[in-house]
Amino acid sequence: MSDESMQESLKSCVDELVVLDTDTPLLYLGRLTAVDNFILTLEEADVHDMREATGSKEVYINEARHNGLQRNRHRVFVRLERVISLSLLQDVVQY
């Protein structure tokens, strides 16, 4: 996928609640508000450190989808190079 088509795909998610899985212990959930070549911006975000969690990422994400986000940041900037995957929260299959 070219950088340009990736940017277009990411921009199609702007104003949606998303889940960002990163190559760090941090998991990000929030409303994607901006995309550029290096940074994704989330607002009203839940930044969750999985080192402090008792369950898996999937359990945390499912709980967030069911119960709503536990917002702890008004705005957070995430380096695009650290993102492994992005999905819409509504696309998470509940179990």
Side-chain angles (χ1 to χ4, degrees):
M1 178 181 279
S2 72
D3 287 346
E4 188 174 302
S5 66
M6 183 176 70
Q7 288 291 322
E8 289 306 311
S9 294
L10 292 172
K11 286 180 181 178
S12 73
C13 298
V14 168
D15 293 326
E16 299 286 346
L17 290 176
V18 298
V19 177
L20 300 180
D21 192 6
T22 66
D23 62 358
T24 74
L26 299 177
L27 179 66
Y28 299 85
L29 296 91
R31 186 162 309 280
L32 183 64
T33 57
V35 174
D36 71 24
N37 292 336
F38 305 102
I39 300 289
L40 299 176
T41 305
L42 299 180
E43 292 187 3
E44 301 307 317
D46 176 0
V47 179
H48 187 73
D49 188 339
M50 294 307 299
R51 293 174 295 199
E52 299 171 1
T54 57
S56 69
K57 287 181 180 182
E58 287 303 315
V59 168
Y60 190 81
I61 293 166
N62 267 282
E63 288 176 356
R65 178 153 189 230
H66 184 261
N67 300 323
L69 301 182
Q70 296 181 21
R71 292 168 176 87
N72 53 27
R73 304 285 192 284
H74 290 294
R75 181 180 304 146
V76 63
F77 303 99
V78 182
R79 289 177 23 200
L80 189 54
E81 68 185 21
R82 302 311 298 253
V83 175
I84 302 297
S85 68
L86 178 149
S87 59
L88 298 178
L89 186 58
Q90 69 186 15
D91 288 345
V92 172
V93 176
Q94 291 187 288
Y95 55 87

